[in-house]
Amino acid sequence: MALRVGVIGGGQLARMMIAPAVELGLDLRVLAETDGMSAKLAATAVGDYRDLETVRAFAADVDVITFDHEHVPQDVLRALVADGVAVHPGPDALQYAQDKLVMRARLAELGVPQPDWARVADADELQVFLDDHGGRAVVKTPRGGYDGKGVRVVSAAGDAADWFAQLSGGDGLLVEELVSFRRELAQQVARRPSGQTAAYPVVETVQRDGVCAEVFAPAPGAGERLARMAEDIGRRIAEGLGVTGMLAVELFETDDDRILVNELAMRPHNSGHWSQDGAVTGQFEQHLRAVADLPLGETAPRAPWAAMVNILGGPTEGTFESRFEAAMSEHPDAKIHTYGKDARPGRKVGHVNAAGDDLDDVVYTARAAAAHFA
């Protein structure tokens, strides 16, 4: 009988696991939050991932559990583990992707380079940090933020007053130094439960309004030293936190040539979409290999350069379907991936990959093909 892999969450990441699961002979099953989500083709259950009995019922029919997102509560995850369910990544690892304060403390123990940071419980503590860091800083809600949500640049303690007012007793916010950086990078590492790891080339990510817009692989101008540093950081985190599956480490390349860890994701990640068409083993296949404890695939690029451009928002007039013919005709070397989502301003509704020998040509192709869906 085929190994049954259960994915909690019915978004586009689960959707993009479907094809490689079929190719690997895996039986992919999805617990979607609602009907009609991106991964509806594999949705065998619909329900609340925060409800233990709902998740237990879903887990009873699979051999291993993995995730489309990191939001499943710790008590639910730990109950599954206590039931004997294989959960990858497990709760001990996922806690570091779920709580940024917990992550920062653990990365400090591992000696991983990161921005100066502190936990602050009130405006007075935030003001002390601001005074010590040039009067500006980044405040983050420890849990739940993504794509720029839950992140705020502040220059006065009062700028976070609403967030402090919402804190319960004993809670705090994360404050970090405002890093002066020349660009953002991302390092992906896969790790299987038996310990084998595989690293992808470090990539450059371009953010717009807090959302990943473009990725260039490998990161242009990344010399051997930078590539080695990024890979070492990724492997140290994967092993130090006991991650199983895909790990994405978002990084700052600072103006003074340091590499600092920004955030973590323990699942396939937007920064790795390029690998679907640009690497020997795409991140979605690799994630399935890892959580099933199968030998990991080769991560080398298939061409010197690859680019990924997100389709954000979608068509303001007409439908997706009406745009495919022109995009495919004008850019036959582009690979178009859509998520089955309705158009909405700022929403990630698809992406385009391109790969080839010349970076400028590759970026132009991906951007031009994606523009057909605007």
Side-chain angles (χ1 to χ4, degrees), residues 47-60:
D48 187 350
Y49 60 81
R50 297 165 297 185
D51 179 70
L52 174 57
E53 294 313 312
T54 297
V55 176
R56 262 192 174 132
F58 175 68

Side-chain angles (χ1 to χ4, degrees), residues 80-128:
L80 291 182
V81 172
D83 290 345
V85 177
V87 179
H88 297 300
D92 287 344
L94 270 173
Q95 65 179 325
Y96 301 111
Q98 293 176 330
D99 190 311
K100 295 179 178 65
L101 281 167
V102 174
M103 174 197 76
R104 286 292 181 212
R106 180 61 179 142
L107 294 186
E109 292 174 351
L110 293 176
V112 172
Q114 55 183 339
D116 195 15
W117 65 279
R119 176 190 176 279
V120 290
D122 54 40
D124 290 340
E125 292 181 353
L126 175 56
Q127 189 60 56
V128 170

Side-chain angles (χ1 to χ4, degrees), residues 85-256:
V85 177
V87 179
H88 297 300
D92 287 344
L94 270 173
Q95 65 179 325
Y96 301 111
Q98 293 176 330
D99 190 311
K100 295 179 178 65
L101 281 167
V102 174
M103 174 197 76
R104 286 292 181 212
R106 180 61 179 142
L107 294 186
E109 292 174 351
L110 293 176
V112 172
Q114 55 183 339
D116 195 15
W117 65 279
R119 176 190 176 279
V120 290
D122 54 40
D124 290 340
E125 292 181 353
L126 175 56
Q127 189 60 56
V128 170
F129 190 93
L130 286 167
D131 292 343
D132 291 341
H133 294 83
R136 299 187 75 204
V138 179
V139 175
K140 299 179 179 181
T141 54
R143 303 179 65 87
Y146 65 96
D147 285 348
K149 299 177 178 66
V151 178
R152 188 179 295 176
V153 177
V154 303
S155 55
D159 293 343
D162 55 331
W163 285 357
F164 283 122
Q166 296 169 13
L167 293 179
S168 301
D171 290 340
L173 300 175
L174 171 65
V175 60
E176 300 173 353
E177 65 170 303
L178 186 62
V179 175
S180 179
F181 61 91
R182 62 171 65 101
R183 60 177 175 173
E184 293 185 68
L185 305 170
Q187 175 67 57
Q188 283 193 302
V189 175
R191 182 174 180 272
R192 53 191 288 208
S194 56
Q196 181 193 9
T197 60
Y200 285 82
V202 65
V203 302
E204 178 178 347
T205 67
V206 178
Q207 317 292 319
R208 297 196 182 106
D209 298 323
V211 177
C212 180
E214 299 179 332
V215 175
F216 311 130
E224 182 179 347
R225 172 182 171 274
L226 186 150
R228 186 174 61 251
M229 288 173 58
E231 180 176 335
D232 177 66
I233 288 170
R235 289 186 188 274
R236 286 166 63 193
I237 293 174
E239 294 169 359
L241 303 187
V243 176
T244 47
M246 289 298 305
L247 166 72
V249 183
E250 297 180 61
L251 301 161
F252 294 126
E253 182 182 7
T254 69
D255 292 339
D256 57 358

Side-chain angles (χ1 to χ4, degrees), residues 1 4-8 27-31 42-44 58 61-62:
M1 185 174 67
R4 300 165 299 175
V5 178
V7 182
I8 297 179
D27 180 359
L28 191 78
R29 305 182 182 193
V30 172
L31 172 61
T44 56
F58 175 68
D61 290 327
V62 301

Side-chain angles (χ1 to χ4, degrees), residues 15-36:
R15 177 190 181 96
M16 287 182 276
M17 293 183 207
I18 296 173
V22 171
E23 293 164 355
L24 293 172
L26 301 174
D27 180 359
L28 191 78
R29 305 182 182 193
V30 172
L31 172 61
E33 292 88 332
T34 60
D35 289 319

